[in-house]
Amino acid sequence: MLIFILKRFGSGLVLIFIVTAMTFFLTHAASVPVAINLAGPNATAEQIATINAQLGLDRPIMEQYTSWMSGVFQGEFGRSYFSSEPVGEAMASRLPATLSVVVLAMLITLVVSVILGVLAASRRGFVDRIIQAISTISYVFPAIILGIVMVFIFAINLQWFPAVGYTPFSESPSEWLSSIILPATVLSVGGIASLSSQIRGSMIDELGKDYIRTLRSRGVSERSILLRHALRNASGPAFTTFSLLFISLFGAALFVEKIFALPGYGSYGYAATIQGDLPVMLGLTLFSVILVVVVNLTVDLVSGWLNPKARVS
């Protein structure tokens, strides 16, 4: 097990190094006019040269990369070119909004997907077809349109929830929950479609196995067979899908944050990309890759613990 963990940890470090290096060099290759963005289109050549010197952009590219890497190992992610705000502090201040929405979306996704998946697999027939139709529609329906529709109905017409903005949990737990319900619901729709389909397929496979017939012949209740035996054995593939959803929702959070004007991680990254704010882009990339590595490592460890054959493969 130790060798299994070390291999996964080592491959994760290699992935972090490769992705951050590619982000750094590809961004430089794009030649984003950072100095002009800062000084304006009428800046003189002397002003541009001064800004480049202040930001260190006139140094050789390898020197800039090694300088950034050196800072990372010391816990320094640099400062934003445009706001001079430390990147680490900026990310830390924006993560609560994104994490709040993503975690609530994952909770909604898990609960609704389990209910729909188990119902579709156990009832089959008309109920199964209705649930499959709902899943298909929710999967192909654009989240941005759904978000606009929900804002119009629940925020503007009914006024149950605020249309935009985010309230920190420390200020008011009730307002915090009210401010993230609509974004989390929009974010969870696509995940419900894919996870409920995964659970439905796995449950159908489990319910067709011999041990299920044996349990029924012994008089075990249908509720116990579904929830204690079939669902438990079908949870392996669903767990992998669920963990990968966590990563994909972080990317999808960008659109939700733009719709609901949330001061989160996605909107921060979007603004940095438009401006060519390299330190912010690198910091966000590094955090994203670390998140992917940690989630994948957790999935591998749990899968390896549940199924020893997975460690060998």
Side-chain angles (χ1 to χ4, degrees):
M1 190 67 176
L2 180 60
I3 295 175
F4 176 77
I5 294 173
L6 290 176
K7 282 183 178 178
R8 291 293 187 268
F9 186 72
S11 61
L13 289 179
V14 172
L15 180 65
I16 290 172
F17 176 76
I18 291 175
V19 173
T20 53
M22 287 181 63
T23 302
F24 185 90
F25 290 110
L26 287 176
T27 304
H28 268 276
S31 299
V32 178
V34 176
I36 295 178
N37 290 344
L38 279 167
N42 298 322
T44 63
E46 185 178 348
Q47 289 174 319
I48 292 174
T50 301
I51 292 174
N52 283 333
Q54 290 174 343
L55 299 178
L57 297 175
D58 57 346
R59 295 179 297 169
I61 186 170
M62 284 305 299
E63 185 180 335
Q64 294 181 46
Y65 180 67
T66 53
S67 174
W68 180 77
M69 285 294 294
S70 173
V72 169
F73 285 117
Q74 298 173 27
E76 295 288 339
F77 299 95
R79 289 177 177 271
S80 166
Y81 288 158
F82 293 84
S83 66
S84 299
E85 187 178 14
V87 174
E89 294 180 11
M91 288 194 300
S93 67
R94 288 165 173 81
L95 269 178
T98 301
L99 278 177
S100 298
V101 174
V102 170
V103 170
L104 181 59
M106 292 298 293
L107 185 61
I108 295 172
T109 300
L110 180 62
V111 173
V112 176
S113 297
V114 169
I115 294 173
L116 293 181
V118 172
L119 277 177
S122 59
R123 301 293 177 86
R124 305 301 299 270
F126 180 73
V127 175
D128 186 20
R129 288 195 291 273
I130 290 294
I131 293 175
Q132 287 297 300
I134 294 174
S135 297
T136 303
I137 293 172
S138 61
Y139 188 75
V140 300
F141 198 77
I144 188 168
I145 295 178
L146 178 63
I148 294 172
V149 171
M150 292 188 71
V151 166
F152 181 75
I153 296 174
F154 296 105
I156 297 176
N157 282 351
L158 300 177
Q159 297 185 349
W160 289 355
F161 307 104
V164 295
Y166 170 75
T167 301
F169 181 84
S170 57
E171 290 184 10
S172 172
S174 60
E175 292 184 11
W176 165 79
L177 183 61
S178 178
S179 68
I180 63 173
I181 281 183
L182 288 183
T185 304
V186 172
L187 199 58
S188 65
V189 171
I192 290 172
S194 59
L195 186 60
S196 62
S197 297
Q198 173 68 63
I199 294 175
R200 171 189 173 274
S202 300
M203 284 289 292
I204 290 175
D205 290 341
E206 289 299 322
L207 292 173
K209 291 183 177 178
D210 292 338
Y211 78 92
I212 295 294
R213 285 189 284 273
T214 303
L215 290 172
R216 283 175 174 150
S217 66
R218 291 179 178 177
V220 178
S221 68
E222 195 65 22
R223 179 187 177 90
S224 177
I225 290 174
L226 285 175
L227 301 182
R228 291 187 57 187
H229 299 280
L231 181 59
R232 182 177 180 180
N233 292 331
S235 61
F239 173 71
T240 302
T241 303
F242 181 69
S243 59
L244 295 178
L245 275 175
F246 182 76
I247 298 171
S248 65
L249 289 185
F250 251 87
L254 163 64
F255 300 100
V256 174
E257 289 174 4
K258 294 299 290 182
I259 295 171
F260 293 94
L262 300 177
Y265 173 88
S267 56
Y268 184 52
Y270 175 78
T273 304
I274 295 297
Q275 293 175 321
D277 200 339
L278 184 59
V280 175
M281 293 168 63
L282 288 172
L284 293 174
T285 301
L286 178 63
F287 175 78
S288 301
V289 179
I290 290 175
L291 179 68
V292 171
V293 170
V294 170
V295 171
N296 285 338
L297 182 61
T298 304
V299 172
D300 287 341
L301 290 176
V302 174
S303 300
W305 176 66
L306 293 174
N307 180 15
K309 291 180 181 178
R311 303 176 205 168
V312 178
S313 60

